[in-house]
């Protein structure tokens, strides 16, 4: 075990400390900006370091020095590190975007001073959810990021945001309660919440109880990931928020739910008993989402519906529960985070430039703002999956995995995903025709767009293109990650290894109170492989 | 062997709290939803506590010679209570703000969604299109008006179809 495991808590610690600092610097916006940028850059550096280090095996850090089954472990394996790195890059881009928007705009639309602390708390919550090796800690991570998202979504407290925000908050609260109930039942059934120990104990409990736990956890995560029957809240609430907030929500929050689904499906509930349900839900999510997108007039709403639709692709990969499926899902998640965020940032630029997001009122942007047109066109085509770009590669991977699975439902998903790609192309080309090519009904105000906003959007679009250029190494990394997910033992062994890492007092505690419920048990020597 | 059988009264209390809470959460008024969320939250907190086994023993090592009870669910319940408290405060603030703005705290439906649904019910398009708004002219009428080769600058391009004359303007080139 490398002694660099002290890096693991940093993506959570740094933003939280930064949040406290920016809150203390309430009246000094310039310092707030400096702190936020420095902190998020540091998080990005740490995340990249973890990405490299985790390739040699998961890094585990025990919070407070208590050994794994008793204490809370933070684990950075390949999957966590990959998601963390992409998230860190995206939040940094969005921060730069919102900074130049803030500097430039009038008080009405400018994010208030509370923006920085809340944004950093959101980042900490996302990082905590990705890194946590404990089910309850994942819940805490979710709550951190959700509480921050409530504040960001209702920033300014305007009528429209209160309306959309109340729906969002109630739905999120409901899913959190569901998650908490699932945690309580998991603990009652197994006596532990440590993911690695759960992986060992869950196979031993009654299969029908296990199924109930799986369904409840998946339901809780499905609300967060916006999977079809549970997705109606998303297109309603996201578009009302300020552009950078919508962008970071679209990029990250649903993916945290997807990450949690991947983790539980691979580590806790292998065997794929609910795969058919997931596949059917994925198909419905794709089709319903994209048909919703076709009907929209507002660009942000259109993009929100494509977001829902493309979550279906991720669920498709999860539902296949094969190594190829996981690999493609991971690559697709990375692609989708960058591209969807970039599109929402461009929507913010369009709103800034034209003063509206309505496709009816926009027009002629290709002539009046060619840079903007390029910035929209590239990620839009990428999202639709036009060949050389990363969207195509991700979809190709998913379709190959679907064909390899060779089940009727998988074939239905293959057809459905091709259809969804075509409809995505249709919806986005429609938006392109209207916003960029049609003659505007009334001339647009053609307001100045701050250079920093354009530059950060361009950086993100560039990053999404880099995903194509470096698709080989990235896909190989995702493949190694998927191999570890299938094997399960690397994760379990790393967390439960009895060795040089902090022992805490877990052994004593287990010895003194001999009737402590099994959470106090010391792990069998050698960490024992994954359960059969 | 530890006695893990839970207290039946607690289990019934969980059921009652969650049932009442779900009923309230289905209401339109945000303040009722808040109360519903509190009830469900408390019900689930009780559930976590029940998951820790039978009550009655201290959760502290060495507090008595008796076997201790599991401290972990109690720690988790504390965390969950704090989280629920914070979110309840936020929801109450939202309900108050909503009342300030609208005079009520009703959770409204998706307005844009309803607008699009109404358009669909009346079979209208969400957006007016220059290139398909042909004002009901027939193909023959369009064919009369379309000129493939004229001196007219704005119609210099060969037209793909009958509706092309109007189509041409929508490329942003033609005068309107």
């Amino acid at each position: 075990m490398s002694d660099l495991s002290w890096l693991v808590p940093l993506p959570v610690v740094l933003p939280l400390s930064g949040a406290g600092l920016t809150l203390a610097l309430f009246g000094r916006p310039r310092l707030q900006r400096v702190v936020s940028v420095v902190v998020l850059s540091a998080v990005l550096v740490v995340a990249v370091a973890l990405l490299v280090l985790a390739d040699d095996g998961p890094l585990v850090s025990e919070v407070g020095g208590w050994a794994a089954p008793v204490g809370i472990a933070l684990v950075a394996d390949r999957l966590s590190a990959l998601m963390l790195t992409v998230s860190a890059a995206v939040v940094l881009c969005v921060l730069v975007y919102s900074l130049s928007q803030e500097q430039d705009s009038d008080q009405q639309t400018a994010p208030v001073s509370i923006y920085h602390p809340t944004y950093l708390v959101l980042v900490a919550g996302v990082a905590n959810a990705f890194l946590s090796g404990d089910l309850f800690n994942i819940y805490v991570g979710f709550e951190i990021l959700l509480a921050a998202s409530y504040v960001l979504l209702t920033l300014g407290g305007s009528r429209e945001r209160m309306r959309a925000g109340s729906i969002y908050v109630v739905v999120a609260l409901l899913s959190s309660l569901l998650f908490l109930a699932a945690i309580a039942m998991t603990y009652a059934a197994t006596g532990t919440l440590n993911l690695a120990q759960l992986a060992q104990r869950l196979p031993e409990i009654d299969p029908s109880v296990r199924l109930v736990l799986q369904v409840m956890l998946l339901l809780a995560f499905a609300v967060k990931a916006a999977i079809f029957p549970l997705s109606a809240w998303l297109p309603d609430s996201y578009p009302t928020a300020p552009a950078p907030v919508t962008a970071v929500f679209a990029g990250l929050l649903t993916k945290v739910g997807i990450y949690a689904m991947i983790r539980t499906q691979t580590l806790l509930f292998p065997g794929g008993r609910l795969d058919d349900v997931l596949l059917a839900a994925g198909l419905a999510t794709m089709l319903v989402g994209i048909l919703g997108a076709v009907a929209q007039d507002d660009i942000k709403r259109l993009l929100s519906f494509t977001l829902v639709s493309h979550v279906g692709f991720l669920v498709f990969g999860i539902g296949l529960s094969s190594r190829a499926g996981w690999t493609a899902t991971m690559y697709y998640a990375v692609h989708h985070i960058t591209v969807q965020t970039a599109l929402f940032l461009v929507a913010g630029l369009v709103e800034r430039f034209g003063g509206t997001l309505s496709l009816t009122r926009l027009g002629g942007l290709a002539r009046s703002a060619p840079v903007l047109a390029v910035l929209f066109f590239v990620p839009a085509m990428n999202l639709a999956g036009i060949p050389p770009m990363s969207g195509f590669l991700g979809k190709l991977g998913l379709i190959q995995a679907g064909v390899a699975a060779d089940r009727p439902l998988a074939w239905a998903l293959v057809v459905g995903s091709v259809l969804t790609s075509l409809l995505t192309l249709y919806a986005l080309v429609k938006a392109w025709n209207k916003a960029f090519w049609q003659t505007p009904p009334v001339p647009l105000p053609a307001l100045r767009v701050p250079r920093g906003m354009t530059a950060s959007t361009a950086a993100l679009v560039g990053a999404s293109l880099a995903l194509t250029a470096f698709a080989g190494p990235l896909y190989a990394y995702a493949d190694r990650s998927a191999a570890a997910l299938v094997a399960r033992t690397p994760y379990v062994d790393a967390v439960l290894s009895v060795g040089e890492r902090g022992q805490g007092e877990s052994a004593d505690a287990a010895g003194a109170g001999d009737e402590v419920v099994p959470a106090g048990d010391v792990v069998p020597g050698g960490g024992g492989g994954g359960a059969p | 062997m530890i006695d893990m059988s839970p207290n039946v009264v607690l289990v019934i209390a969980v059921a009652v709290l969650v049932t009442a809470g779900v009923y309230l959460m289905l209401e339109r008024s945000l303040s009722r939803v808040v109360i519903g969320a509190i009830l469900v939250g408390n019900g689930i907190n009780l559930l976590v506590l029940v998951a820790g086994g039978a009550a009655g023993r201290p959760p502290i090592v060495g507090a008595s010679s008796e076997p201790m009870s599991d401290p972990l669910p109690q720690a988790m319940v504390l965390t969950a209570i704090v989280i629920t408290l914070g979110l309840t405060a936020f929801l109450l603030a939202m309900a108050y703000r909503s009342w300030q703005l609208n005079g009520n705290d009703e959770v409204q439906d998706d307005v844009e969604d309803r607008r699009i649904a109404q358009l669909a019910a009346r079979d209208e398009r969400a957006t007016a299109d220059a290139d398909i708004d042909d004002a009901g002219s027939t193909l023959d009428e369009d064919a009369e008006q379309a000129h493939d080769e004229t001196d007219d600058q704005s119609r210099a391009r060969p037209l793909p179809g009958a509706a092309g004359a109007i189509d041409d303007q929508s490329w942003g080139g033609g005068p309107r």
Side-chain angles (χ1 to χ4, degrees):
Chain A
M1 190 51 56
S2 149
D3 54 355
L4 280 170
S5 59
W6 55 270
L7 279 174
V8 179
L10 286 186
V12 185
V13 172
L14 287 176
L16 274 185
S17 321
L21 204 57
T22 46
L23 198 59
L25 297 169
F26 185 72
R28 312 181 66 175
R30 189 166 297 171
L31 274 176
Q32 274 193 329
R33 287 182 197 132
V34 172
V35 170
S36 303
V37 171
V38 168
V39 163
L40 289 186
S41 309
V43 170
L44 179 60
V45 171
V46 172
V48 170
L50 286 177
L51 185 71
V52 175
L53 290 170
D55 205 15
D56 298 330
L59 282 93
V60 183
S61 159
E62 266 115 18
V63 181
W66 290 74
V70 172
I72 293 169
L74 291 179
V75 189
D77 68 343
R78 293 193 189 97
L79 170 62
S80 304
L82 189 62
M83 300 295 278
L84 194 66
T85 308
V86 182
S87 312
V90 164
V91 290
L92 186 60
C93 270
V94 176
L95 179 76
V96 172
Y97 180 96
S98 63
L99 287 185
S100 55
Q101 182 180 23
E102 189 178 347
Q103 271 177 333
D104 190 77
S105 56
D106 47 330
Q107 289 302 311
Q108 183 64 38
T109 52
V112 280
S113 293
I114 199 70
Y115 176 77
H116 287 274
T118 322
Y119 190 79
L120 290 173
V121 169
L122 180 85
V123 176
V126 170
N128 193 24
F130 282 151
L131 288 173
S132 172
D134 182 284
L135 209 51
F136 192 77
N137 203 20
I138 293 184
Y139 166 76
V140 173
F142 271 172
E143 288 304 316
I144 295 173
L145 75 90
L146 285 175
S149 74
Y150 302 156
V151 176
L152 289 175
L153 195 75
T154 53
L155 217 58
S158 68
R159 180 168 297 186
E160 182 52 26
R161 286 187 190 158
M162 293 316 286
R163 185 194 68 75
S166 54
I167 295 172
Y168 175 78
V169 173
V170 171
V171 171
L173 197 63
L174 199 63
S175 85
S176 298
L177 290 173
L178 203 58
F179 190 13
L180 191 60
I183 287 175
M185 288 161 70
T186 310
Y187 190 78
T190 62
T192 183
L193 289 175
N194 184 293
L195 290 178
Q197 208 175 16
L198 277 176
Q200 293 179 335
R201 287 193 182 166
L202 276 172
E204 294 165 14
I205 68 173
D206 185 49
S208 42
V209 175
R210 199 164 65 226
L211 189 63
V212 170
L213 297 180
Q214 188 179 7
V215 167
M216 288 195 67
L217 285 175
L218 280 183
L219 269 181
F221 299 145
V223 176
K224 301 208 152 105
I227 292 168
F228 163 58
L230 312 167
S231 64
W233 56 273
L234 192 146
D236 186 22
S237 53
Y238 278 13
T240 53
V245 171
T246 317
V248 79
F249 281 15
L252 297 185
L253 297 198
T254 50
K255 305 307 175 301
V256 178
I258 290 289
Y259 163 81
M261 283 175 84
I262 297 179
R263 186 62 86 198
T264 48
Q265 283 293 95
T266 52
L267 192 62
L268 304 187
F269 304 103
R273 286 167 83 192
L274 288 176
D275 279 354
D276 287 350
V277 180
L278 279 178
L279 286 178
L283 184 63
T285 311
M286 282 180 194
L287 293 177
V288 173
I290 203 62
L291 289 177
V294 167
Q296 300 305 314
D297 177 47
D298 180 296
I299 296 184
K300 268 186 169 179
R301 281 182 69 92
L302 189 151
L303 291 177
S304 300
F305 273 101
T306 61
L307 168 63
V308 172
S309 158
H310 285 243
V311 165
F313 282 92
L314 299 168
V315 179
F316 173 25
I318 296 175
L320 289 174
S321 71
S322 62
R323 179 169 164 180
W326 306 123
T327 310
T329 305
M330 267 178 263
Y331 183 80
Y332 200 82
V334 171
H335 145 79
H336 194 240
I337 289 176
T338 44
V339 167
Q340 195 76 50
T341 310
L343 277 173
F344 272 107
L345 289 184
V346 178
L349 294 180
V350 168
E351 187 175 23
R352 184 98 192 160
F353 181 83
T356 175
L357 275 172
S358 165
L359 290 174
T360 323
R361 270 176 276 164
L362 283 170
L365 287 177
R367 176 166 298 177
S368 51
V371 177
L372 232 162
V374 173
L375 287 181
F376 179 82
F377 191 75
V378 172
M381 291 303 113
N382 200 346
L383 187 71
I386 296 299
M389 290 189 269
S390 55
F392 169 73
L393 299 173
K395 287 183 173 106
L396 186 68
L398 283 171
I399 288 174
Q400 277 176 339
V403 170
D406 201 24
R407 278 180 282 160
L409 203 52
W411 276 105
L413 263 287
V414 168
V415 174
S417 58
V418 173
L419 194 64
T420 309
S421 304
L422 287 175
L423 285 171
T424 309
L425 189 64
Y426 170 68
L428 289 170
V429 164
K430 196 185 101 177
W432 167 265
N433 280 345
K434 287 187 184 303
F436 291 86
W437 273 355
Q438 81 174 347
T439 316
V442 272
L444 296 172
L447 303 168
R448 201 180 65 80
V449 177
R451 197 163 294 162
M453 289 169 77
T454 318
S456 52
T457 313
L460 206 54
V461 172
S464 71
L465 289 179
L467 290 183
T468 315
F470 297 102
L474 188 63
Y475 213 84
Y477 193 92
D479 188 47
R480 288 197 296 280
S481 174
L485 289 181
V486 172
R488 295 167 78 229
T489 40
Y491 189 95
V492 177
D493 287 349
V495 176
L496 296 183
S497 75
V498 181
E500 64 270 33
R501 280 183 292 114
Q503 292 292 314
E505 301 207 2
S506 51
D508 296 344
D514 49 345
E515 294 213 0
V516 175
V517 183
D521 276 358
V522 182
V523 196
Chain B
M1 187 59 206
I2 335 154
D3 180 22
M4 281 296 289
S5 53
N7 191 331
V8 180
V9 179
L10 285 183
V11 176
I12 293 172
V14 170
V16 170
L17 284 172
V18 172
T19 315
V22 167
Y23 180 81
L24 281 172
M25 281 180 105
L26 294 174
E27 294 277 333
R28 278 274 173 194
S29 153
L30 192 57
S31 44
R32 288 187 193 185
V33 174
V34 174
I35 298 175
I38 296 172
L39 288 182
V40 177
N42 282 338
I44 291 172
N45 286 342
L46 262 184
L47 183 70
V48 179
L49 210 57
V50 170
R57 302 196 202 97
I60 301 165
V61 183
S64 70
S65 55
E66 287 175 45
M68 60 184 278
S69 66
D70 186 2
L72 205 52
Q74 312 203 1
M76 291 193 295
V77 166
L78 273 180
T79 315
I81 287 174
V82 173
I83 290 172
T84 318
L85 175 77
L87 296 187
T88 307
F90 189 81
L91 266 178
L92 281 174
M94 283 187 76
Y96 180 69
R97 177 69 182 156
S98 181
W99 174 79
Q100 264 188 334
L101 289 170
N102 304 323
N104 62 48
D105 63 347
E106 194 177 283
V107 180
Q108 287 171 327
D109 281 345
D110 189 344
V111 185
E112 175 86 11
D113 205 36
R114 187 182 291 170
R115 207 177 61 76
I116 288 177
Q118 282 168 351
L119 282 177
R122 278 179 291 162
D123 201 15
E124 283 179 22
R125 279 190 303 279
T127 53
D129 257 327
D131 48 349
I132 41 178
D133 275 348
D134 53 5
S137 60
T138 64
L139 206 62
D140 290 339
E141 288 165 12
D142 282 347
E144 270 175 34
Q145 288 169 4
H147 301 281
D148 288 350
E149 289 175 29
T150 60
D151 322 336
D152 192 347
Q153 285 298 314
S154 70
R155 292 179 176 176
R157 232 177 311 171
L159 299 171
I166 307 161
D167 200 1
D168 203 31
Q169 295 174 353
S170 69
W171 292 86
R176 302 235 27 195

